């Protein structure tokens, strides 16, 4: 299946990161620290940015959180972390931005949920206040509609209109329509209040894969705002990863989406960076971007009763990812490299030859040697007790030779 040409949306500058307008799809994440805990939040932001998160969202839900934002920004600057920071506002954002102008200034983008900005008569004035602050401080806004906190006024209006039809539509169809209309109507109001299209990003996130796809297909057909994708409340572990990959891949294949977040529920005590890695791997396996050298490895079978190749594949993959924060600048282009770690002679030599660099380890009953291939040619055969260390050294030398920056010396 060929990839669709991505639709060109209005570009939005979030800090120094361009979203939309034909720019590469951006990976973002969100902290789960108490934002009032400056040290803990700074630490997690740096962890996420180091893992490759290009935008990081933080919760701004209280006066303590709002008053901490400027110091968080200061400490990030002191530690040479320039990742743009997004403020996530619900219910009281208009008050917090008014009372803490240093917070409003320090953030690179505001996130507003139309369903949580106010109720009844207070909704429009509070939404207006949020947009006016964005205009005053020249900040972009993500208008993010969530299925679990949908603007009930929009939903009730559409339900009333639906009841008057000769053949009413199902509730699910009306709910999808309400989610899209909430986003579009809020964006139109923001423009009326002076916020330019180059300052607006839209999202319509729910937790059902097929519903999410239908909603974003409708949304994309109705506007050319930059779009943020994500399956909200994706879940834990493989369920969350598979669901997110299924939904986002279908949309991105159609050219829909300018920035993504993988909303995984982390395991207790686990690193928050997993959602960043999953987002990168979805984009890389789809062929949209490259972030770190990809390791190709076989699943194993009765021919590979030893787990040696599995450990080597895991170690090499971890090593390559750990090195990327340094290698991004030191070895430009290395993120597109492929490394094959194979477990027997069936597919081992062929896959190793197809990769930039590969090793074919001996399977059960095979000769205990491991040929290494570089750009399709066998260069060395490893044997003995130190194959893993020797192969890692070969990988390092390959990277230095092929991706090290060449400095021209004057004649």
């Amino acid at each position: 299946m060929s990839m669709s040409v991505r639709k060109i949306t209005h570009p939005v500058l979030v800090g120094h990161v361009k979203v939309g307008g034909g720019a590469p799809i951006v990976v973002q994440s969100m902290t789960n620290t108490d934002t009032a805990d400056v040290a803990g939040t700074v630490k997690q932001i740096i962890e996420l940015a180091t893992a490759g998160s290009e935008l990081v969202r933080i919760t701004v839900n209280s006066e303590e959180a709002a008053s901490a934002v400027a110091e968080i920004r200061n400490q990030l600057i002191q530690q040479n972390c320039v990742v743009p920071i997004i403020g996530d506002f619900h219910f009281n954002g208009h008050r917090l931005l008014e009372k803490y102008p240093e917070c409003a200034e320090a953030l690179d983008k505001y996130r507003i949920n139309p369903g949580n900005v106010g109720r009844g008569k207070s909704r429009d004035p509070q939404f207006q206040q949020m947009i006016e602050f964005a205009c005053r401080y020249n900040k972009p806004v993500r208008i993010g509609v969530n299925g679990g906190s949908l603007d009930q006024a929009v939903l009730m209006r559409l339900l009333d209109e639906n009841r008057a039809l000769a053949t009413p539509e199902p509730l699910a169809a009306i709910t999808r329509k309400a989610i899209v209309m909430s986003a579009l109507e809020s964006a139109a109001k923001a423009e009326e209040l002076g916020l330019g299209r180059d300052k607006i990003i839209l999202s319509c996130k729910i937790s059902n894969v097929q519903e999410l796809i239908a909603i974003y297909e409708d949304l994309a057909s109705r506007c050319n705002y930059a779009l943020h994708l994500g399956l909200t409340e994706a879940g834990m572990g493989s369920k969350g990863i598979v669901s997110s990959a299924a939904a986002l891949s279908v949309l991105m294949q159609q050219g829909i989406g300018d920035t993504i977040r993988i909303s995984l529920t982390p395991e207790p005590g686990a690193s928050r960076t997993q959602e960043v890695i999953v987002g990168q791997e979805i984009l890389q396996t789809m062929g949209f971007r490259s972030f770190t050298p990809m390791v190709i490895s076989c699943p194993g079978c009765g021919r590979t009763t030893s787990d040696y190749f599995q450990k080597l594949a895991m170690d090499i993959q971890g090593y390559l990812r750990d090195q990327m924060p340094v290698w991004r600048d030191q070895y430009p282009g290395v993120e597109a490299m492929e490394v094959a770690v194979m477990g027997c002679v069936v597919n081992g030599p062929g896959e190793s030859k197809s990769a930039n660099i590969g090793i074919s380890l001996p399977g059960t009953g095979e000769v205990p040697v491991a040929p290494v291939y570089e750009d399709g040619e066998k260069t060395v055969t490893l044997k003995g007790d130190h194959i893993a260390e020797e192969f890692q050294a070969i990988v390092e030398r390959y990277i230095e030779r092929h991706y090290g920056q060449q400095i021209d010396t004057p004649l």
Side-chain angles (χ1 to χ4, degrees):
M1 181 171 63
S2 61
M3 287 188 295
S4 303
V5 176
R6 298 189 65 241
K7 298 174 184 177
I8 301 300
T9 54
H10 276 284
V12 178
L13 200 60
V14 183
H16 64 278
V17 175
K18 182 180 177 183
V19 175
I25 300 171
V26 172
V27 176
Q28 64 177 273
S29 58
M30 185 175 183
T31 61
N32 61 357
T33 57
D34 181 351
T35 304
D37 174 8
V38 173
T41 301
V42 168
K43 181 176 181 289
Q44 191 173 80
I45 290 172
I46 292 174
E47 289 174 353
L48 292 167
T50 301
S53 184
E54 295 157 300
L55 303 173
V56 177
R57 184 154 48 112
I58 61 176
T59 297
V60 187
N61 61 334
S62 65
E63 293 198 15
E64 292 78 11
S67 65
V69 170
E71 180 57 23
I72 289 169
R73 168 62 70 199
N74 289 337
Q75 291 195 22
L76 290 172
I77 292 171
Q78 291 170 13
Q79 298 186 54
N80 298 314
C81 181
V82 295
V83 66
I85 303 301
I86 303 161
D88 189 72
F89 293 99
H90 295 271
F91 310 113
N92 59 352
H94 59 295
R95 292 199 300 269
L96 296 176
L97 289 174
E98 181 175 30
K99 187 169 182 178
Y100 297 94
E102 64 279 8
C103 168
E105 181 62 43
L107 292 168
D108 294 288
K109 187 177 78 171
Y110 308 153
R111 192 275 194 179
I112 304 173
N113 183 338
N116 289 340
V117 78
R119 293 286 188 273
K121 294 180 180 180
S122 67
R123 182 194 182 282
D124 287 346
Q126 290 176 190
F127 180 82
Q128 179 173 335
Q129 276 186 275
M130 294 287 289
I131 298 302
E132 287 173 349
F133 284 121
C135 293
R136 181 185 308 172
Y137 293 100
N138 195 30
K139 306 294 183 181
V141 170
R142 172 159 75 94
I143 296 174
V145 179
N146 277 50
S149 50
L150 175 61
D151 185 347
Q152 293 302 301
V154 175
L155 178 60
M156 294 308 298
R157 187 186 79 223
L158 292 180
L159 286 173
D160 288 341
E161 294 173 359
N162 187 58
R163 278 192 287 269
L165 297 176
T167 307
E169 295 183 80
L171 176 60
I174 300 303
T175 302
R176 289 196 301 269
K177 188 180 296 185
I179 289 171
V180 172
M181 292 308 299
S182 177
L184 293 175
E185 290 178 5
S186 296
K189 288 179 182 177
E191 286 198 63
E192 290 174 9
L193 294 168
L195 194 66
R197 287 195 163 219
D198 63 340
K199 298 290 184 186
I200 297 174
I201 297 174
L202 298 186
S203 70
C204 292
K205 297 168 72 173
I206 60 173
S207 56
N208 179 280
V209 170
Q210 293 292 354
E211 293 287 292
L212 186 85
I213 292 170
I215 285 169
Y216 270 98
E217 288 175 340
D218 186 20
L219 179 64
S221 72
R222 292 169 178 260
C223 73
N224 63 348
Y225 294 110
L227 299 181
H228 169 72
L229 300 186
L231 186 77
T232 192
E233 293 97 34
M236 295 186 73
S238 60
K239 185 271 178 185
I241 293 170
V242 171
S243 298
S244 295
L248 271 58
S249 296
V250 169
L251 292 168
M252 292 188 295
Q253 191 73 21
Q254 299 180 68
I256 299 171
D258 301 287
T259 173
I260 66 171
R261 184 203 171 192
I262 310 302
S263 300
L264 297 180
T265 303
E267 295 180 7
S271 173
R272 190 71 162 178
T273 58
Q274 185 187 19
E275 66 177 53
V276 179
I277 294 169
V278 171
Q280 290 178 331
E281 290 180 346
I282 292 172
L283 290 177
Q284 189 152 350
T285 54
M286 289 290 292
F288 291 118
R289 293 188 65 182
S290 295
F291 295 94
T292 191
M294 293 289 283
V295 176
I296 301 165
S297 58
C298 65
C301 65
R303 292 176 177 269
T304 57
T305 52
S306 167
D307 63 0
Y308 191 87
F309 87 95
Q310 299 164 329
K311 292 177 180 177
L312 179 57
M314 183 174 64
D315 290 345
I316 288 294
Q317 183 167 281
Y319 168 74
L320 294 173
R321 181 167 289 281
D322 289 344
Q323 296 303 309
M324 278 310 297
V326 175
W327 285 356
R328 284 189 192 105
D329 297 325
Q330 190 174 357
Y331 300 120
V334 70
E335 64 276 4
M337 187 177 79
E338 289 187 347
V339 179
V341 180
M342 305 301 293
C344 77
V345 298
V346 173
N347 292 320
E351 290 286 359
S352 296
K353 290 177 183 178
S354 297
N356 295 100
I357 184 168
I359 185 170
S360 180
L361 293 161
T364 305
E366 295 176 9
V367 178
V369 295
V372 175
Y373 299 83
E374 298 183 32
D375 297 319
E377 300 293 331
K378 187 167 78 170
T379 57
V380 67
T381 298
L382 304 180
K383 61 182 69 176
D385 298 328
H386 302 287
I387 289 177
E389 296 89 334
E390 292 173 9
F391 181 63
Q392 181 171 309
I394 292 170
V395 171
E396 291 172 349
R397 290 196 295 270
Y398 181 93
I399 291 170
E400 174 63 35
R401 288 198 312 273
H402 288 77
Y403 300 100
Q405 295 179 349
Q406 301 298 318
I407 301 174
D408 294 331
T409 55
L411 298 175

